[in-house]
Amino acid sequence: ARAEAWMKAVGAQYGLSGAVEELDEESQQLLLDSYAADPSWSSKGEASVTKPAPVRAGRVVVELFESDCPKTVANFKALCTGEKGVGKSSKKPLHYKGFKFHRIVTGFCCQGGDIVRGDGSGGDSIYGGAFNDEKKGLALKHDAAGVLSMANSGKNTNTSQFFFTLGPAPQCDGKHTVFGKVVEGLDIITRINAEAASPEGAPRVDVTIADCGLL
């Protein structure tokens, strides 16, 4: 992304144009050298002339804390299977399949589940809209990567949005309902943090729920 931004801004000054990954080896080296030599660009981080491999490359399996958060888990399970059909309030399919994670913050969270708008401004549930936090889930900690928790816009505003922690996130303790944890595929979570996350949260590459269901 940094190399592409450099190309758009100043590439023409060096006689470079087109897609970064399609440049010949000599032109790619010129790009990298010129980028590195300019502090206004190099201060943003290292540039790369090769696209990262797709992050959608494995399965993440989670254990759900049904005894602590029965209502939250029932909603999540139904959204994984799509068994409830269309939402009463949104008129959108109640299904995570095909949706992208819209917010991925380095070292913090990978957030998705906006089945209404896909950008974090919407959401729905099998209950016809927002539902309350569950006290036992609020008492659980965001103490490591791979914690599964509900995203919200304040107290008792849960819908379909959720997030995986990408590291310890104590600032979320007591504010977000923890209802599961990753038990298989933590390497995928680590890879998302390394390849898709950004400090401001805009995904550097798409991370998509290709399929989902229950085991």
Side-chain angles (χ1 to χ4, degrees), residues 69-124:
C69 306
K71 194 166 186 177
T72 305
V73 168
N75 181 63
F76 186 79
K77 288 166 70 173
L79 290 166
C80 285
T81 64
E83 65 192 60
K84 297 294 186 180
V86 174
K88 294 177 183 177
S89 60
S90 67
K91 308 303 180 187
K92 299 284 187 180
L94 294 167
H95 202 184
Y96 287 137
K97 183 176 180 178
F99 277 90
K100 297 175 182 176
F101 287 90
H102 62 271
R103 178 175 179 244
I104 310 176
V105 183
T106 305
F108 173 37
C109 74
C110 178
Q111 181 176 337
D114 181 354
I115 59 174
V116 176
R117 298 190 179 95
D119 61 4
S121 64
D124 200 357

Side-chain angles (χ1 to χ4, degrees), residues 58-64 146 148 164 180-186 188-189 213-215:
R59 182 172 70 170
V60 175
V61 178
V62 299
E63 174 190 348
L64 298 172
L148 177 60
F164 291 108
K181 66 177 181 180
V182 174
V183 293
E184 181 183 315
L186 192 58
I188 302 296
I189 300 297
L214 304 179
L215 296 177

Side-chain angles (χ1 to χ4, degrees), residues 32-201:
L32 292 173
D33 291 345
S34 302
Y35 179 99
D38 187 340
S40 66
W41 286 95
S42 60
S43 62
K44 299 177 182 180
E46 189 176 346
S48 173
V49 293
T50 57
K51 280 190 173 182
V55 174
R56 186 171 48 181
R59 182 172 70 170
V60 175
V61 178
V62 299
E63 174 190 348
L64 298 172
F65 303 152
E66 197 156 13
S67 61
D68 289 332
C69 306
K71 194 166 186 177
T72 305
V73 168
N75 181 63
F76 186 79
K77 288 166 70 173
L79 290 166
C80 285
T81 64
E83 65 192 60
K84 297 294 186 180
V86 174
K88 294 177 183 177
S89 60
S90 67
K91 308 303 180 187
K92 299 284 187 180
L94 294 167
H95 202 184
Y96 287 137
K97 183 176 180 178
F99 277 90
K100 297 175 182 176
F101 287 90
H102 62 271
R103 178 175 179 244
I104 310 176
V105 183
T106 305
F108 173 37
C109 74
C110 178
Q111 181 176 337
D114 181 354
I115 59 174
V116 176
R117 298 190 179 95
D119 61 4
S121 64
D124 200 357
S125 77
I126 63 173
Y127 308 115
F131 63 95
N132 289 350
D133 302 319
E134 293 186 278
K135 289 183 179 180
K136 288 185 177 179
L138 289 176
L140 298 174
K141 303 298 183 183
H142 302 76
D143 55 1
V147 172
L148 177 60
S149 186
M150 291 299 289
N152 61 45
S153 56
K155 186 178 180 180
N156 298 327
T157 58
N158 301 292
T159 55
S160 52
Q161 289 195 48
F162 66 93
F163 64 93
F164 291 108
T165 56
L166 300 179
Q171 67 270 36
C172 295
D173 291 349
K175 299 176 182 177
H176 296 266
T177 301
V178 173
F179 66 101
K181 66 177 181 180
V182 174
V183 293
E184 181 183 315
L186 192 58
D187 58 317
I188 302 296
I189 300 297
T190 300
R191 189 175 170 196
I192 288 171
N193 189 44
E195 298 181 20
S198 68
E200 70 280 1

